[in-house]
Amino acid sequence: MLSSTGHPFIFLLPVLAIAAFWLMAKFEKKEAGLPRRSFFERNGTPVAIYLIVAVAFWAIFMIVLPQLFMVEMSFRPKLPPIEMGGPKDLYTFENYHYFLYGSTTSNAAINWLHLKAFSLTIFASVCAALFNFALSYPLAFYMAQVAKPARVRFLLLLLIAPYWVNEILRAFAFRIIFSSSGLINKTIMAAGLVDQPIDFIGNDIALYTGLGYAYMLMMIFSLYNAIETLDHAQIEAARDLGAPWWHIHAFIVIPFAKPGIASGCTLVFMLSAGSLAAPLVLGGPRSLWFTPILYDRFFQAFNWPQGAAYAFILLLTCVSFVLLVLRLGRLNLGEIAK
Amino acid sequence: MTAAVEIDHLTVQFGLFTAVKDVSLQIRQGEFFSFLGPSGCGKTTILRTISGFQDPSKGIIRIGGQDMQGIGPNQRPTALIFQNLALFPLMTVAENIGYGLRVRGVPKADRDRKVDELLNLIALSDQGNKKIEELSGGQKQRVAIARALAVEPKVLLLDEPLSALDLKLRQHMRNELRAIQRRVGVTFIYITHDQGEALTMSDRIAVMNRGHIEQVGNGRDVYENPETAFVAAFVGENNGFTGMVTRVADGLATVETALGTFNGVNRKSLAVGAKATLFVRPELMRFDGEGENIIDGHAADAAYEGITTHLTMKAKDSSSVVATIAGATAKAFPESGSSVRFAFTSRDATVLPA
Ligand SMILES: Nc1ncnc2c1ncn2[C@@H]1O[C@H](COP(=O)(O)OP(=O)(O)OP(=O)(O)O)[C@@H](O)[C@H]1O
Ligand SMILES: [Mg+2]
């Protein structure tokens, strides 16, 4: 728990947040050249106050406090409940130290196991995002620029329907399809392509397929929204000027859709890196994914402070990585949130 | 002289709807050719068929004598200027103009030289590095033309390129377009529903109505010698009186209408009994009542437009008859409501099948 002096802080925070939101509403940036009524005038004072208070509470209790609580916890030692708040309960880097160097009592110099899992997770998530982009782009382009509206609605339905099924069930479905006596192995063996079943799960093929599929919808929607706003005449103009199809995609469509591509890739990357169901269900016995390790910190080792530290490391790495990529792509956050 | 573009019995259908009906035309090398017609008559469809974005349902398009069947828009010697221009917003002016050359793999040095030349042509020499959004409407227009000309097309196709501009700029750009066309000598095929635009710029005009061509000719032909009632009514202002032919003699036809019996030139050699419309241009209608054919009515309105004034009379069946006169003499027009007499000579009227 927070130290006793921290408690008044908890109650002060919502007040501060309300004040901040109120000031934001008051001095809301005016749209250029467009005289707008203020936030209070637009919504009426009671509704405006309700909105500010509700958003402030939501922000504080759902987002800020839990995160702060986690960060704070990550700097504390693991202690039996009786000693919490006692003389041994001092802030420490122990948990972060553990991530890099392993247990203080172990012989190995570096915590290879966790570091490897961590880098692999980041790397695989990047691959998942890129792979997902490559897969989704043609479909999104087709829906946004080629297909007739009725066809688009039908395709959207086909895309969304599988997501009505719970994520874990979907992962199990993949496990069944990819298992050694599953549909795929049966088919290719019946076709005489192989005589031994392929170990899709042990080779992590099932994992990557499942991960790729799990967040494909996010990618398709991001791309679809971006490409849809491109004036079709631009594509025709490029074609009329003699551009082959790949040139039109590379130099007209993709630059135009860059914000959508960035937002789709960011979403898929973040969600893959933080995904738990797919690695737990589809991961092979030798597979090393970071989230199950993190999960184990909490629920197997009952080491909440260490789990918090791991979660914080993952979050920080993902956010910095995304910001770095956006920086390299000369995009800002506002643009991709459109 | 060979035809730059030959349209041979072209028909274009969308489902059951026929947008272009059996159109045949020859457009000459270096000509400024316009399609003029009301909205929805199939002008854009013809242009898209020439540029290759639309396949003909029937008929053949030949460019420079070559059948274009199966040749995609990126392989045709045409360049299209879109109704909304479709400049690339993420590229600079120079990059826009150079796009077609870049696609063709022209080396950068040659490309830059050509782009500079074109920037010069459209009088935007020092503005190659500007973004598209920083340009005015007329400048965007010129960039679109330069971008199309960069690939040295045999035929430039323009789809109402001036419709988004305000009146003054539109008139200015008319002259500019014509001047550019004369300088580069490329065949221009120009689409418009503005007859003033078509008349001032074109060498020849095809007047279209509901997917077919009513008449092809130079501006003077189309205005002074309309072949059909549609052309007479659509190109320029016109007074039309519909009725039946009761007598034909000496190249004139007598038409019995609701406002009286009038004589006009029987250009289509109509026979007695045919339904016909007799047209008289407002500028040939006299309000001093001098002429063989007389229409009586009440003065309704005098719309002063500077150089000219449009005098409107309400005839006895309450239809409007317009006479256009030079601005200064307009003062003589009587008060609204008082009776007036319009008249015209038979040689100034045209009788066409209704
Ligand atoms: N892709 C299409 N599918 C179905 N009908 C179409 C299609 N394109 C055009 N049409 C129809 O064909 C007819 C002619 O269209 P077109 O665009 O050629 O007219 P237009 O003369 O260019 O008119 P405007 O001056 O308004 O641009 C219209 O009635 C239109 O509804
Ligand atoms: Mg059109």
Side-chain angles (χ1 to χ4, degrees):
Chain A
M1 283 292 102
L2 284 168
S3 53
S4 54
T5 50
H7 285 295
F9 185 58
I10 291 186
F11 296 103
L12 197 63
L13 255 181
V15 179
L16 285 176
I18 291 173
F21 280 120
W22 186 76
L23 284 175
M24 268 161 69
K26 188 97 185 147
F27 297 103
E28 189 182 19
K29 203 170 74 186
K30 300 267 187 291
E31 297 269 322
L34 214 142
R36 286 218 349 242
R37 292 185 305 150
S38 79
F39 184 73
F40 288 95
E41 281 167 344
R42 262 182 291 139
N43 298 301
T45 310
V47 175
I49 289 176
Y50 169 74
L51 284 175
I52 288 174
V53 171
V55 169
F57 266 88
W58 178 74
I60 294 293
F61 287 105
M62 303 301 285
I63 301 172
V64 178
L65 272 186
Q67 296 293 345
L68 278 180
F69 181 68
M70 281 302 243
V71 172
E72 200 255 1
M73 187 159 73
S74 73
F75 288 105
R76 310 175 80 188
K78 183 196 176 195
L79 294 169
I82 196 113
E83 289 181 40
M84 282 188 186
K88 283 196 187 164
D89 198 351
L90 296 168
Y91 285 132
T92 165
F93 280 107
E94 187 180 300
N95 299 313
Y96 294 93
H97 190 272
Y98 187 95
F99 173 69
L100 292 176
Y101 305 108
S103 150
T104 38
T105 56
S106 85
N107 307 325
I110 303 278
N111 190 356
W112 283 120
L113 186 72
H114 289 182
L115 282 174
K116 243 166 82 184
F118 181 76
S119 358
L120 185 93
T121 300
I122 298 292
F123 176 73
S125 300
V126 171
C127 292
L130 295 180
F131 179 66
N132 228 314
F133 167 69
L135 219 59
S136 305
Y137 178 82
L139 186 58
F141 179 81
Y142 174 78
M143 291 202 306
Q145 291 288 341
V146 184
K148 298 215 166 66
R151 171 75 56 87
V152 172
R153 279 195 295 276
F154 177 66
L155 280 174
L156 282 178
L157 189 72
L158 280 188
L159 283 171
I160 293 169
Y163 290 85
W164 292 338
V165 175
N166 176 296
E167 189 189 349
I168 296 179
L169 286 183
R170 253 184 294 134
F172 271 109
F174 267 112
R175 184 164 189 120
I176 292 167
I177 295 174
F178 279 116
S179 68
S180 54
S181 58
L183 185 68
I184 296 181
N185 268 320
K186 270 198 183 139
T187 312
I188 55 177
M189 277 163 73
L193 292 175
V194 291
D195 36 50
Q196 286 290 308
I198 298 174
D199 187 4
F200 288 114
I201 291 172
N203 290 316
D204 283 340
I205 292 171
L207 173 58
Y208 292 120
T209 314
L211 266 181
Y213 185 68
Y215 309 112
M216 197 166 152
L217 208 55
M218 308 279 176
M219 181 66 91
I220 289 183
F221 277 145
S222 301
L223 295 181
Y224 174 76
N225 275 333
I227 299 174
E228 208 224 14
T229 53
L230 175 66
D231 178 8
H232 192 69
Q234 302 235 330
I235 295 172
E236 291 195 335
R239 209 144 83 86
D240 190 56
L241 291 168
W245 64 269
W246 61 267
H247 201 280
I248 295 175
H249 285 287
F251 294 99
I252 306 290
V253 185
I254 290 182
F256 181 85
K258 206 162 82 172
I261 295 169
S263 97
C265 288
T266 307
L267 271 171
V268 171
F269 168 72
M270 293 284 236
L271 288 169
S272 299
S275 151
L276 183 62
L280 274 186
V281 177
L282 293 171
R286 279 164 290 126
S287 89
L288 267 175
W289 201 260
F290 193 63
T291 36
I293 293 176
L294 205 161
Y295 181 83
D296 282 350
R297 297 296 102 197
F298 282 103
F299 298 109
Q300 299 282 295
F302 290 107
N303 192 342
W304 280 53
Q306 200 172 62
Y310 276 39
F312 190 52
I313 290 171
L314 183 62
L315 178 71
L316 214 61
T317 311
C318 288
V319 170
S320 337
F321 183 77
V322 165
L323 290 178
L324 179 77
V325 171
L326 291 186
R327 191 60 180 275
L328 292 179
R330 304 218 184 99
L331 284 160
N332 57 36
L333 272 177
E335 237 176 315
I336 72 163
K338 261 194 295 206
Chain B
M1 206 190 282
T2 58
V5 178
E6 193 181 349
I7 301 171
D8 192 355
H9 295 286
L10 174 70
T11 297
V12 181
Q13 283 165 316
F14 297 110
L16 293 176
F17 178 76
T18 306
V20 176
K21 278 177 220 142
D22 196 30
V23 166
S24 292
L25 264 182
Q26 307 232 335
I27 296 164
R28 296 173 200 135
Q29 184 60 50
E31 191 172 27
F32 197 120
F33 191 94
S34 294
F35 284 95
L36 172 65
S39 185
C41 70
K43 306 181 295 288
T44 298
T45 307
I46 288 194
L47 214 63
R48 290 177 64 82
T49 316
I50 298 173
S51 59
F53 286 108
Q54 174 71 49
D55 287 329
S57 308
K58 276 197 217 98
I60 298 169
I61 304 275
R62 289 188 200 90
I63 300 177
Q66 196 196 346
D67 186 351
M68 285 291 126
Q69 171 77 39
I71 298 179
N74 49 0
Q75 308 286 341
R76 294 194 183 191
T78 58
L80 181 58
I81 293 180
F82 289 76
Q83 214 156 352
N84 66 357
L85 304 184
L87 294 171
F88 306 128
L90 299 178
M91 298 182 194
T92 64
V93 169
E95 285 170 342
N96 261 282
I97 297 175
Y99 183 81
L101 300 172
R102 183 168 133 208
V103 166
R104 283 165 172 70
V106 174
K108 180 138 179 30
D110 298 350
R111 208 159 76 202
D112 288 347
R113 189 151 9 88
K114 181 85 198 183
V115 168
D116 281 344
E117 234 169 73
L118 284 161
L119 281 169
N120 223 358
L121 177 78
I122 58 168
L124 285 176
S125 304
D126 45 351
Q127 313 203 35
N129 289 323
K130 274 197 176 173
K131 290 205 182 115
I132 294 301
E133 64 193 27
E134 294 167 352
L135 299 180
S136 72
Q139 289 172 332
K140 280 185 195 156
Q141 192 65 62
R142 300 200 294 250
V143 173
I145 292 163
R147 184 179 72 174
L149 288 174
V151 299
E152 295 180 354
K154 287 208 183 91
V155 183
L156 195 66
L157 308 164
L158 305 97
D159 191 351
E160 305 201 27
L162 305 185
S163 58
L165 306 180
D166 62 52
L167 184 67
K168 261 264 155 5
L169 194 52
R170 206 150 67 214
Q171 282 169 345
H172 172 73
M173 284 305 297
R174 278 182 196 174
N175 300 332
E176 198 128 323
L177 264 180
R178 191 67 229 232
I180 289 173
Q181 196 258 345
R182 289 222 178 87
R183 241 174 296 160
V184 296
V186 170
T187 309
F188 272 40
I189 301 182
Y190 190 92
I191 279 192
T192 180
H193 60 251
D194 179 330
Q195 33 112 357
E197 229 166 82
L199 292 176
T200 50
M201 292 196 289
S202 321
D203 294 320
R204 284 193 304 154
I205 302 170
V207 183
M208 282 189 74
N209 179 28
R210 307 239 219 107
H212 67 267
I213 292 195
E214 295 265 341
Q215 183 173 354
V216 181
N218 63 32
R220 210 180 161 129
D221 252 0
V222 171
Y223 188 82
E224 292 179 2
N225 304 315
E227 299 273 337
T228 67
F230 176 83
V231 175
F234 187 76
V235 181
E237 298 294 313
N238 228 331
N239 294 298
F241 310 100
T242 303
M244 213 209 295
V245 178
T246 54
R247 208 175 75 93
V248 287
D250 309 334
L252 293 184
T254 308
V255 183
E256 189 100 33
T257 76
L259 298 183
T261 305
F262 304 131
N263 291 311
V265 179
N266 187 10
R267 231 156 27 80
K268 289 272 135 187
S269 309
L270 292 175
V272 171
K275 273 200 75 180
T277 305
L278 179 142
F279 288 97
V280 189
R281 293 278 179 202
E283 64 271 21
L284 299 175
M285 188 73 86
R286 305 180 56 122
F287 88 104
D288 54 9
E290 304 238 340
E292 304 102 64
N293 304 280
I294 287 164
I295 311 167
D296 285 314
H298 299 283
D301 183 41
Y304 179 69
E305 280 191 0
I307 299 169
T308 58
T309 300
H310 299 290
L311 307 175
T312 309
M313 174 185 90
K314 277 265 176 282
K316 65 180 180 212
D317 65 347
S318 83
S319 62
S320 299
V321 182
V322 181
T324 300
I325 56 169
T329 53
K331 288 188 211 79
F333 197 59
E335 291 268 306
S336 175
S338 47
S339 43
V340 282
R341 167 169 288 188
F342 282 2
F344 57 90
T345 55
S346 303
R347 289 285 157 203
D348 287 341
T350 309
V351 179
L352 294 167

